[in-house]
Amino acid sequence: MATTKQASGKKATRLLKILLLVLLLLAGIGWIFRAPISGYGELATAHAARNVCACRFVAGQSESVCEQNFVLGTPPVLLGEDEEERSVTAQFPPFASNTATYRDGYGCVLEPWDR
């Protein structure tokens, strides 16, 4: 019985070491590619915020219809809407966030980037 516990303990330790190694590898890859991922996030959130804002406040469509109108291949972004401000915020955590606001005469305009 003791050898079974020792064997399962060794398996658990080995599995934990492999999991830690995989996590470190993924963190390293994320660190190396952080600039392209961040840029991709900026582009994706700007595109999503602008298009959903136009769909909602220019075309007058419902939120669910606008979310379904995304082009295939668009990365998963989180959308938030402020109906009082007539704005849509798209987030690609933790890399990027963009907000588009409807302005009379201009349509939906992205807020300036802080770069």
Side-chain angles (χ1 to χ4, degrees), residues 29 32 35 82 90 112:
I29 290 170
I32 291 168
D82 185 348

Side-chain angles (χ1 to χ4, degrees), residues 1 8 10 12 22 28-30 37-38 44 46 49-50 52 57 62 64 66 68 76 78 80-81 90 102 110-111 115:
M1 206 68 161
S8 66
K10 286 182 181 181
V22 169
I29 290 170
I37 292 170
S38 180
R50 163 63 181 75
V52 173
F57 303 113
S62 70
S64 62
C66 294
Q68 291 173 358
L78 303 174
E81 180 182 316
Y102 177 78
L110 287 171
E111 291 183 2
R115 296 189 193 268

Side-chain angles (χ1 to χ4, degrees), residues 94-107:
F95 298 103
S97 176
N98 276 296
T99 301
T101 304
Y102 177 78
R103 294 189 184 149
D104 289 329
Y106 295 97

Side-chain angles (χ1 to χ4, degrees), residues 7-90:
S8 66
K10 286 182 181 181
K11 273 187 179 178
T13 303
R14 185 174 183 187
L15 184 62
L16 192 59
K17 286 180 183 179
I18 291 171
L19 181 62
L20 181 61
L21 183 63
V22 169
L23 286 174
L24 286 173
L25 183 64
L26 288 174
I29 290 170
W31 179 258
I32 291 168
F33 293 105
R34 72 188 178 281
I37 292 170
S38 180
Y40 187 64
E42 285 288 341
L43 179 65
T45 56
H47 171 77
R50 163 63 181 75
N51 284 345
V52 173
C53 178
C55 180
R56 287 286 292 131
F57 303 113
V58 176
Q61 299 291 322
S62 70
E63 188 174 351
S64 62
V65 168
C66 294
E67 287 179 11
Q68 291 173 358
N69 284 340
F70 279 143
V71 178
L72 291 177
T74 302
V77 294
L78 303 174
L79 295 170
E81 180 182 316
D82 185 348
E83 211 163 314
E84 189 174 300
E85 293 288 323
R86 298 195 306 183
S87 68
V88 173
T89 300

